[in-house]
Amino acid sequence: MDVIVLGGGLMGTASAYFLARRGARVTLIERNRIGTGATVASFGNIRRTGRHLSQLPLAHRSLRLWNEAEKMLGRDVEFRATGHIRLIFDDGSLADMRAYAEAARAWGLYLEELTSRDIHARFPGLGPGAIAASFSPHDGSGNPRLIAPAFADAARRLGVEIVEGAEVAAIRHTGPDFLVTTSKGSFTAECLLNTAGAWGARIAAQFGEEVPLDARGPQMGVTEPLPYRIPPVVGIWTRDKDHGAYLRQVERGNIVFGGAAERVAVDLDPGHAVADPTRLTTQLRAVARLLPAIAQVAVIRTWSGCEGYVRDMLPVMGRSMTTPGLFHAFGFSGHGFQLGPGVGDAMAELIATGCCETPLDDFRIDRFGRAV
């Protein structure tokens, strides 16, 4: 079986790797460089807490692969299962957390509820005003700058052809095959996998499948290093987007943070997202609620990236409903990093065998037409 994968982020490189492991002949085409789109803009959060319940089977599958990543890929991608804590500052958010925890238990996710005393004893310096928290000990973080190149290199060792800097000029379904014409030549295959991120809806539309997707850029930042004292990823339970901050401390001591700032609109041509410095003060105020010490350190860099947000905040995954041999995996709406290895494994299974052990029905591309 020949497969062309469009898009060289985490979803595309993981898919190429797992397809090659199943014996497929794979060509991956990337318009820029591997891992330079939404993947590199990611916060690096590997969390299952707070996900839409229908995503949890895929998230569990992916977490197993994150745990195997170093052995599987032959390098350390800085996955650390240090846990994920979400702080709670009001009774309404505590009720929300408890309701989610009860519902998620049936899907195999078990959250520990921490009291204020627990938080201060186990994680001193975090959320002095928090009344409670949830804790998921098996989640954690990884390095967004390492994971896609690691999958790409492992895929190359399995024979995958990776073509970077290739602008796609045309895609045609010619009889049994797909013909993809690019600035680096033309490629044919019997299957086409669309992992083009924020550009994925454009590709789907060429085959009569409309997806309501907007391109947005998150605002991310990192501080100078501090002594390493915060192992878990830190977030918050809140309905107030102005307080929806999150942070993690890398082993080198720097604190990576995001959230609590409106995502900026991104023009897909050329598709570059730029952080807005005027939003940094508000963002840091929200982050300081989680970690007051951040007010005493310098921010050394901010950045953004182009992500695709679907109207219902669920990804598009699975086979095309209009074109045999076409498959989609895009629109992860800013929370795809944890899912990446599982997405690649699941799509490879679906393409190679025609079925998938992980339920994907909620992510079908025709759900928008059915809802009309």
Side-chain angles (χ1 to χ4, degrees):
M1 174 188 297
D2 293 311
V3 183
I4 293 173
V5 177
L6 293 179
L10 175 53
M11 307 304 173
T13 55
S15 297
Y17 170 78
F18 287 112
L19 280 163
R21 282 211 334 191
R22 289 179 175 270
R25 295 179 296 273
V26 182
T27 301
L28 185 151
I29 299 171
E30 164 57 38
R31 68 195 295 267
N32 289 315
R33 291 179 290 112
I34 292 297
T36 56
T39 301
V40 79
S42 171
F43 172 64
N45 198 0
I46 297 174
R47 65 152 178 95
R48 293 166 297 162
T49 306
R51 288 194 175 277
H52 192 283
L53 296 177
S54 65
Q55 287 188 358
L56 285 176
L58 184 62
H60 296 325
R61 179 174 187 158
S62 198
L63 184 61
R64 291 193 295 270
L65 292 167
W66 276 108
N67 278 285
E68 300 168 9
E70 183 171 358
K71 180 179 179 181
M72 181 172 64
L73 302 177
R75 70 172 74 170
D76 180 14
V77 294
E78 298 182 6
F79 168 64
R80 304 290 186 266
T82 52
H84 183 271
I85 184 171
R86 293 185 80 165
L87 301 171
I88 299 166
F89 292 89
D90 60 84
D91 290 337
S93 297
L94 179 58
D96 288 346
M97 184 277 286
R98 287 174 172 169
Y100 179 84
E102 182 177 358
R105 196 174 300 119
W107 294 78
L109 176 62
Y110 300 89
L111 299 179
E112 179 184 358
E113 182 177 326
L114 305 183
T115 66
S116 175
R117 181 174 296 180
D118 295 331
I119 297 166
H120 302 321
R122 293 168 60 175
F123 308 109
L126 287 184
I131 62 172
S134 67
F135 186 62
S136 178
H138 302 297
D139 292 334
S141 62
N143 191 325
R145 295 182 175 274
L146 299 180
I147 187 63
F151 266 117
D153 287 348
R156 286 190 185 97
R157 293 194 293 271
L158 295 175
V160 173
E161 180 183 8
I162 296 180
V163 185
E164 297 180 271
E167 290 282 351
V168 174
I171 305 172
R172 295 185 179 86
H173 188 220
T174 58
D177 293 327
F178 292 88
L179 171 65
V180 179
T181 304
T182 79
S183 58
K184 294 286 186 73
S186 296
F187 305 88
T188 61
E190 58 191 292
C191 292
L192 179 69
L193 173 56
N194 170 18
T195 59
W199 292 264
R202 287 185 173 183
I203 294 171
Q206 294 182 45
F207 296 92
E209 297 181 295
E210 298 292 335
V211 175
L213 180 147
D214 295 315
R216 294 283 186 268
Q219 177 139 321
M220 310 299 302
V222 63
T223 73
E224 63 183 334
L226 294 171
Y228 181 64
R229 294 175 181 166
I230 310 169
V233 176
V234 184
I236 182 173
W237 286 97
T238 181
R239 299 177 185 178
D240 185 346
K241 66 180 181 180
D242 291 334
H243 290 153
Y246 44 85
L247 65 93
R248 65 185 179 94
Q249 187 175 28
V250 302
E251 291 170 350
R252 294 175 292 280
N254 309 78
I255 295 172
V256 184
F257 61 88
E262 192 72 25
R263 297 177 179 94
V264 298
V266 180
D267 184 350
L268 288 177
D269 300 309
H272 299 307
V274 179
D276 181 355
T278 65
R279 306 180 187 204
L280 185 59
T281 300
T282 300
Q283 187 176 40
L284 286 173
R285 190 177 298 117
V287 176
R289 192 182 190 201
L290 309 182
L291 180 68
I294 203 167
Q296 307 302 318
V297 298
V299 175
I300 59 175
R301 187 167 68 90
T302 60
W303 69 93
S304 187
C306 187
E307 297 177 332
Y309 289 80
V310 181
R311 180 178 61 198
D312 60 7
M313 296 297 285
L314 291 176
V316 172
M317 276 186 73
R319 64 180 78 250
S320 165
M321 296 293 113
T322 64
T323 310
L326 174 62
F327 298 84
H328 303 289
F330 68 89
F332 288 86
S333 304
H335 50 247
F337 186 74
Q338 190 275 348
L339 299 176
V343 169
D345 194 29
M347 294 307 299
E349 180 188 10
L350 178 62
I351 293 169
T353 71
C355 59
C356 182
E357 67 176 22
T358 300
L360 303 177
D361 279 354
D362 279 8
F363 316 137
R364 286 168 52 131
I365 196 167
D366 64 341
R367 68 183 187 265
F368 308 105
R370 297 200 311 267
V372 174

